[in-house]
Amino acid sequence: MSGRRWLQVALGYGLAVVCLVWVFHDVDLREVLRSASHVRWAWMLPAVLLDIASYVCQGERWRLLLPSSRSLGVARTTQAIYAGLFVSEVLPARLGELVRGYLVQRWSAVPLPALVGSILVERLFDGIWLAIGIVAVALTVTLPRPLMEAEGILGGVVLVALGLLVFLLLRARRGATVGKVGLLGRLLHALGGVGSSPRALGSFAVSFFIPFFEGLALWMVMVGYGLPLNVWSGIAVLLIVRLGTAIPNAPGNVGTYQALTVLALRLFGVGKATAAGFSVVAFVVLTVPLWGLGLLALSRSGITLGSLRTQLYSRATGTSFQRSSENGVRR
């Protein structure tokens, strides 16, 4: 492991420890256990199903953006997403994006620039809906000033990215190339092609249901835990957690997830002990099924974490995605 990667991993785990210490250092654990003992577990199954539905929507969104998606169904793209999520949950540095791209390229031979372009467009769609969601929630509940300032920064970044995409779309419609020939030029040209696809608008619409289902899932966990909060408060907590965990941290967002959940619930008058207990229950309910389905998705792809690490890290020595996919890895 290089010194830079080691530092990144150490910072991620260090942040997780600091966050967990803050969550529990002044909390009576007996009160935490008491609040968790009244959980109505019947609400957890629909919460898990809604969370799964959000990832199926993500699979459908990606399928619509991929140029050769006729050979891929939503089941395949969702499988790749779950496999990537599992790798990101158990390994540092968020390798999940590379994993899901690697799997889809093996299954459909999507050109690398188009593959990267589709993932970048996904992130743009996520940013747009996140910014819209924060504004919508702010009209219903009072949000803290730091969050609104972060939303302003996010909105500015989204506008710049959207302007770049519109520029690339106009050039793609005229059949123009972008920049000089090379990887960057091909990537920008592919990005314009992905964004100008007739199905891009449908993909953008599907993107709405990803945070919507996630927010409903988290709110149902709140109801099952006995928190007297409405659905808008649940979505607000989700948006705060998503915005705060956008930066790389420890695998599975351990620590930061709990700290951000506690901070968000405190804004709505929830006691710290109750919020701390809820943060653990919500993490288990919404993360453990993801681990199980992610492990199943990865195992059904015919590869292991060891072989994936070998294939992915070989890129650092000059091996491309395309060459890796031709090395006889079993489908």
Side-chain angles (χ1 to χ4, degrees):
M1 184 181 294
S2 66
R4 181 178 179 182
R5 186 173 298 277
W6 181 90
L7 179 61
Q8 182 181 4
V9 173
L11 289 175
Y13 283 110
L15 178 62
V17 171
V18 170
C19 288
L20 289 175
V21 169
W22 176 82
V23 168
F24 292 104
H25 85 282
D26 58 348
V27 169
D28 187 345
L29 293 181
R30 290 173 297 181
E31 187 177 349
V32 173
L33 295 175
R34 191 181 307 116
S35 66
S37 65
H38 301 293
V39 174
R40 293 173 289 176
W41 294 102
W43 284 90
M44 303 307 165
L45 178 58
V48 171
L49 293 177
L50 281 169
D51 197 53
I52 292 173
S54 72
Y55 291 116
V56 174
C57 289
Q58 188 174 343
E60 174 63 10
R61 175 182 71 175
W62 197 22
R63 186 189 70 84
L64 291 173
L65 288 175
L66 290 171
S68 59
S69 60
R70 292 179 181 177
S71 61
L72 286 173
V74 64
R76 274 299 202 189
T77 51
T78 304
Q79 178 185 355
I81 287 169
Y82 263 108
L85 286 169
F86 175 73
V87 172
S88 291
E89 292 288 319
V90 300
L91 294 178
R94 292 197 175 181
L95 297 175
E97 298 287 7
L98 290 176
V99 170
R100 70 177 176 118
Y102 169 73
L103 290 175
V104 162
Q105 194 175 58
R106 287 179 57 226
W107 294 332
S108 65
V110 177
L112 179 59
L115 183 67
V116 176
S118 68
I119 294 175
L120 291 177
V121 171
E122 280 187 315
R123 297 289 77 79
L124 175 61
F125 288 172
D126 286 338
I128 292 173
W129 282 116
L130 182 59
I132 293 174
I134 292 175
V135 172
V137 169
L139 298 176
T140 308
V141 297
T142 302
L143 296 178
R145 178 175 296 180
L147 179 62
M148 297 306 298
E149 292 175 351
E151 194 277 338
I153 296 173
L154 174 65
V157 172
V158 167
L159 286 177
V160 171
L162 190 59
L164 175 62
L165 181 61
V166 170
F167 169 74
L168 295 173
L169 294 183
L170 294 176
R171 293 185 66 90
R173 287 183 181 275
R174 295 197 302 264
T177 58
V178 182
K180 297 181 179 181
V181 176
L183 179 59
L184 180 58
R186 293 196 301 271
L187 173 59
L188 293 176
H189 186 66
L191 183 61
V194 170
S196 63
S197 168
R199 299 190 300 181
L201 185 59
S203 177
F204 176 72
V206 171
S207 297
F208 162 79
F209 293 98
I210 298 172
F212 179 71
F213 285 149
E214 288 180 347
L216 285 181
L218 185 61
W219 176 68
M220 284 193 173
V221 178
M222 291 180 178
V223 174
Y225 200 82
L227 298 183
L229 300 176
N230 60 32
V231 65
W232 285 108
S233 300
I235 293 176
V237 172
L238 170 74
L239 294 176
I240 292 172
V241 172
R242 287 194 63 175
L243 193 60
T245 56
I247 60 173
N249 48 76
N253 296 321
V254 174
T256 51
Y257 180 93
Q258 284 75 27
L260 289 166
T261 301
V262 170
L263 283 172
L265 289 175
R266 295 285 285 160
L267 298 174
F268 298 101
V270 178
K272 189 176 181 183
T274 301
F278 172 82
S279 71
V280 174
V281 171
F283 183 82
V284 171
V285 169
L286 299 178
T287 304
V288 171
L290 186 154
W291 289 345
L293 291 172
L295 178 60
L296 177 63
L298 185 63
S299 63
R300 289 182 63 86
S301 70
I303 53 181
T304 65
L305 280 175
S307 63
L308 263 177
R309 181 177 296 180
T310 299
Q311 294 288 344
L312 293 175
Y313 282 114
S314 68
R315 297 189 68 209
T317 62
T319 306
S320 69
F321 252 176
Q322 184 65 32
R323 188 176 304 169
S324 296
S325 65
E326 294 172 354
N327 282 341
V329 181
R330 179 170 57 88
R331 288 195 178 191

